[in-house]
Amino acid sequence: MALYWPEEKVALDIVDDPYRTPFEGDDSYTVLRVTCADLCDYDSYHKVMERLCELLGKEMPTMPGWEEKNRELHSMLYREAEEELLSEASYPFPDFFEDNSLSNVEIIAPSKEEGERMRTAARCAGQYVRGVSVWDGPIPRGSYEPISETTRMSTPEFFFFRKANQLSFVEAVCLGVELCGKYRTVLTQYDRGGGYDFLRQPRTSKAAIREYLRDVRRTKEGKRAKRVLRHVQNECSSPMSCYLYLLLCLPRSEGSYGIERVQGWGAYKGEQGFYPSSSGDYLIYDLFWPAKRVAVQYTGSGRPSKRDFDALQTGDVRVVCVTDDDVADPKRFDAVAHKVASLLNTELPEPTDKWRRACKRLRSAVKPPTFDNMRLTMSEISEHYVA
């Protein structure tokens, strides 16, 4: 829950209250974020109250006997809350972890200390904990879905929201593209290992995440997530497609070339039928601007055959092919970017030293994917697990 003092522009937000309505004030508010554990222990509760009084311009009561009575009241209220938790079989009691249908779990906790308490309880119940993630920010509605009477799982939208506030901007966009795309790597699927899966349907979409973020649109975390989401695209089909998008289409301030936002990736139907044409091996484009008939195609270790290239150019589509060597060499990729910009009739500003430094940071933050079989052909897509 969140408690407000509008005149003083102060709010108290209990971040792990299961019945919580997230804080929705603007940036003029000072928000004191606490956990249930902070309030259950009298000493930490007392410090919270001291800080709250300070923010409100009030003094803590000092009359004789007040603190003793306050302790009694706190103890009584805590016992009532404890009984309610027990009746609902909720954490922090061990039966929270009695669901053995999961081989292992990752715990989401409001603090490092709370996470360790939960890890201990899980281990006592014989559950393997692969990690603890700390999140002390707001928790919008739709953040969890139940998978048993005692266990909840983070939704893709909540996963994006948390990571958008924990990763760098470029890394967060990469994760968002994957969540809204048709593939999954270890970035979003902890047990994926060294390869990636091809998905028939994305796990979420920009529209679903945008709706989910409405509850926190006025919070700093919500604003950060919305900024990242603006640069996420739906239905990306491979890690290489995502990487090309990051290098070409993000803002120049992030070290990208700032080319206009890609309008799609996939196959399209035009006056001459579908393109790419089925006469070639490629099923879909890696990046595509249908209004300008411009595409970027990753072709692996070498250039495509004449048959494949002609099929890619169906419907007067102008195609820029990108090889492994182009991706690995910044100078060669610079030539690719200028060719794409020329076909799109977009001028690229002269590179500055500041931009070059940002470009190095981008390439350092997100490495080129090195998975096998990333060309968007039936034979190579079939080499991945299709879910």
Side-chain angles (χ1 to χ4, degrees):
M1 64 181 296
L3 302 177
Y4 299 82
W5 287 265
E7 292 185 5
E8 292 82 3
K9 292 294 183 179
V10 172
L12 176 69
D13 195 357
I14 307 171
V15 297
D16 57 346
D17 179 355
Y19 304 107
R20 168 176 177 259
T21 299
F23 169 73
E24 291 190 349
D26 55 36
D27 291 340
S28 65
Y29 272 83
T30 299
V31 185
L32 182 58
R33 290 192 169 92
V34 300
T35 66
C36 292
D38 293 329
L39 301 180
C40 287
D41 177 78
Y42 182 80
D43 291 334
S44 61
Y45 154 80
H46 195 272
K47 291 178 182 178
V48 170
M49 292 304 108
E50 285 181 332
R51 176 58 178 155
L52 184 59
C53 286
E54 179 184 341
L55 293 173
L56 294 173
K58 307 292 183 181
E59 293 185 1
M60 287 284 286
T62 57
M63 66 278 293
W66 178 85
E67 186 169 339
E68 182 180 352
K69 291 185 178 298
N70 188 243
R71 281 183 180 272
E72 291 177 2
L73 176 62
H74 178 274
S75 178
M76 180 190 72
L77 294 174
Y78 176 72
R79 282 197 303 271
E80 292 179 356
E82 187 178 53
E83 290 172 0
E84 182 177 350
L85 284 170
L86 278 169
S87 68
E88 295 181 359
S90 300
Y91 173 76
F93 303 98
D95 55 359
F96 181 84
F97 295 101
E98 285 182 352
D99 179 13
N100 292 318
S101 62
L102 301 175
S103 59
N104 62 73
V105 296
E106 179 170 348
I107 292 171
I108 302 174
S111 68
K112 184 177 180 181
E113 295 74 19
E114 192 78 356
E116 289 307 312
R117 289 177 59 198
M118 295 174 76
R119 187 200 295 269
T120 299
R123 285 174 174 170
C124 289
Q127 188 72 271
Y128 173 74
V129 178
R130 67 176 182 270
V132 175
S133 296
V134 174
W135 174 253
D136 60 358
I139 303 176
R141 289 170 294 180
S143 293
Y144 292 103
E145 54 183 301
I147 56 176
S148 76
E149 292 183 358
T150 59
T151 310
R152 297 181 301 170
M153 181 172 66
S154 170
T155 61
E157 294 77 23
F158 185 33
F159 184 62
F160 169 82
F161 179 43
R162 289 186 289 116
K163 294 302 181 181
N165 283 276
Q166 295 169 340
L167 300 175
S168 70
F169 173 80
V170 173
E171 291 171 310
V173 172
C174 183
L175 179 139
V177 169
E178 183 167 321
L179 283 175
C180 296
K182 289 189 171 183
Y183 69 95
R184 64 186 177 200
T185 70
V186 70
L187 183 63
T188 61
Q189 183 75 16
Y190 76 92
D191 60 351
R192 187 58 202 89
Y196 72 89
D197 299 331
F198 187 83
L199 307 177
R200 292 186 177 89
Q201 295 295 329
R203 287 163 286 178
T204 187
S205 66
K206 285 189 69 171
I209 296 175
R210 189 181 298 112
E211 179 63 26
Y212 165 83
L213 292 174
R214 286 178 59 83
D215 279 353
V216 290
R217 60 188 180 278
R218 295 189 179 92
T219 67
K220 62 181 177 59
E221 294 90 351
K223 292 175 182 177
R224 162 74 177 186
K226 286 179 67 176
R227 175 176 176 258
V228 172
L229 184 63
R230 281 197 293 271
H231 297 276
V232 170
Q233 295 290 303
N234 286 323
E235 300 200 351
C236 178
S237 295
S238 83
M240 184 56 78
S241 299
C242 177
Y243 188 71
L244 295 173
Y245 168 70
L246 297 178
L247 291 187
L248 291 172
C249 301
L250 291 188
R252 286 181 61 84
S253 60
E254 300 295 336
S256 179
Y257 282 87
I259 293 174
E260 64 182 85
R261 197 81 55 84
V262 65
Q263 296 167 11
W265 13 48
Y268 287 79
K269 186 176 182 180
E271 294 178 358
Q272 301 179 39
F274 282 98
Y275 42 95
S277 168
S278 59
S279 62
D281 289 337
Y282 288 90
L283 302 179
I284 50 181
Y285 297 114
D286 283 282
L287 304 178
F288 192 41
W289 292 263
K292 296 185 177 180
R293 293 288 202 277
V294 174
V296 173
Q297 197 71 45
Y298 168 68
T299 58
S301 59
R303 299 292 171 181
S305 66
K306 184 179 185 305
R307 178 177 67 88
D308 283 342
F309 190 64
D310 288 344
L312 288 169
Q313 293 191 111
T314 299
D316 298 325
V317 174
R318 295 165 294 170
V319 181
V320 179
C321 295
V322 181
T323 66
D324 291 326
D325 289 339
D326 295 328
V327 171
D329 186 337
K331 289 185 178 179
R332 292 182 62 153
F333 194 82
D334 186 71
V336 168
H338 278 79
K339 186 173 182 180
V340 173
S342 175
L343 293 175
L344 291 171
N345 197 27
T346 298
E347 292 291 332
L348 293 180
E350 288 296 319
T352 63
D353 289 341
K354 182 178 180 181
W355 178 81
R356 289 191 180 95
R357 290 193 296 271
C359 186
K360 287 183 179 179
R361 286 197 300 272
L362 187 155
R363 283 181 168 267
S364 177
V366 184
K367 302 293 186 183
T370 57
F371 302 107
D372 294 331
N373 303 305
M374 286 190 291
R375 295 189 306 160
L376 295 176
T377 65
M378 178 59 75
S379 62
E380 297 206 3
I381 289 174
S382 298
E383 290 296 316
H384 302 284
Y385 174 74
V386 180

